[in-house]
Amino acid sequence: MSLDKSRELYQKARTLLPGGVSSPVRAIRPYPFYTRSASGSRITDIDGNEYIDYCLAYGPNILGHANPKIKEAVISQLDKGWLYGTPTELEVSLADRIAGLYPSIDMLRFVSTGTEATMSALRVARGFTGKNKFIKIEGGFHGAHDAVLVKAGSGATTLGKPDSLGIPEDFTKHTLQVPFNDIEALTTLIEKYSDDLAAFIIEPVMGNIGPVLPEKDYLREVRKVTGENDVVLIFDEVITGFRLAMGGAQEYYGVTPDMTTLGKIVGGGLPIGVFGGRKEIIDMIAPSGSVYQAGTFSGSPASVAAGIAVLDVLEKENVHKKLNATGDMLRSGLSDIVADLGLDYTVSGIASMFKIFFGDQPQNYQDVLRCDKEGYLKFFFRMLDSGIFLPPSQFETNFISTAHTEDDIEKTLAAYEANLK
Ligand SMILES: *Cc1c(COP(=O)(O)O)cnc(C)c1O
């Protein structure tokens, strides 16, 4: 496998872009492959190497790359113009669809990224309660804004820089943390700070360190303790939304938060974010209320058109059943391989998310940190050499799309077996 063109381009890229990339997790050492094109389950680099893609842009591409129905919807929107600075029928239509699917969402606002969604969700939760502090899960990732970059997962963890320079301590002093799957720690913290506690934000399945799944009844207990103490419960479903089920993890687990953030899948691969919740909370956003939030690209027609198209496909073709069956097939194949080889590794996952942890089954961030990160990275390169593109980190979830065929899965399992050996 030759990577000459990528290596050469990297020399130039690193003089212009920090680390040669536009987002840290893409920075594979010694240099990343640069992509030329992608279609279905495959991604092709500028040297012409083709890989089966389980990174899928870190989650959005649930129908695989360049899905024809999404492409058609975007092209048809481009013909009518792609940015108006006025409201559109499209956004009302997508909002209606989302509100119908997510019991927690009476009203919502469109933004351009998941980062913006969680940033704004926390602002409105603080505005609504008149309180300052919020709790997040240790290792939970909610984008790259100041308040949540405290022991964040994803790229921030991988690089060993849980906190960032450039964020005044004053900005994060209201950010409290608890371990995942620990209801006692949460209850204690809520009781201690209830006078000034606005919200609890949580990925119901931790997608940025794994996936790490909630233990039985954990989310139900989270709902109970936040409800009893008037703490706004925010489910960050930027990954799990439309992936675990049409109605996300809240549908899957039957637990309804007060607010929800969405992103990734709901833009069909174009930039989008959504935050929504109970009417009395979301109606506090300007111009209805006095919590300010605004954006030039919010509700961008091309993104919204792509979002409607992806929901159409997911809903009409009843995709999740097939997708989850593919996930089951892959996970059980991987479990067999790990068992046959006698490795102390763990196959984790749910629905169309999966991962092999190079260590014991983790329950939280500290457990994940104990996994063999260097070993995983070596394995990542071998897989790449076998034509399989996994996210280049022990901390990132692998995703499956509807474009992945049984043949892809068989090839993938064979590569796992050979390389784990
Ligand atoms: C990706 C992600 C975000 C941030 O979304 P961006 O669109 O990258 O800003 C927020 N929360 C979770 C759970 C995510 O996985």
Side-chain angles (χ1 to χ4, degrees), residues 113-115 118 141-143 203 208 236 238-239 264:
T113 64
T115 294
T118 66
F141 181 72
H142 306 290
E203 297 171 78
N208 289 280
D236 183 354
V238 170
I239 284 183
K264 297 199 168 116

Side-chain angles (χ1 to χ4, degrees), residues 181-203:
N181 278 327
D182 188 342
I183 198 70
E184 272 158 41
L186 177 67
T187 307
T188 306
L189 205 61
I190 286 179
E191 279 164 5
K192 184 162 176 206
Y193 289 100
S194 66
D195 284 355
D196 198 25
L197 192 57
F200 174 47
I201 186 166
I202 177 171
E203 297 171 78

Side-chain angles (χ1 to χ4, degrees), residues 85 212 356:
V212 174
I356 290 195

Side-chain angles (χ1 to χ4, degrees), residues 23 58 112-118 140-144 154 202-203 205 207-208 236-240 261-264 271-273 396 399:
S23 192
Y58 296 91
S112 299
T113 64
T115 294
E116 242 186 304
T118 66
F141 181 72
H142 306 290
S154 193
I202 177 171
E203 297 171 78
V205 169
N208 289 280
D236 183 354
E237 298 228 41
V238 170
I239 284 183
T240 50
T261 53
L262 299 165
K264 297 199 168 116
I272 205 165
E396 298 286 346
F399 296 101

Side-chain angles (χ1 to χ4, degrees), residues 108-131:
L108 60 88
R109 173 155 288 175
F110 290 109
V111 289
S112 299
T113 64
T115 294
E116 242 186 304
T118 66
M119 185 176 78
S120 312
L122 288 167
R123 183 180 300 155
V124 73
R126 284 164 157 166
F128 175 73
T129 56
K131 295 174 177 177

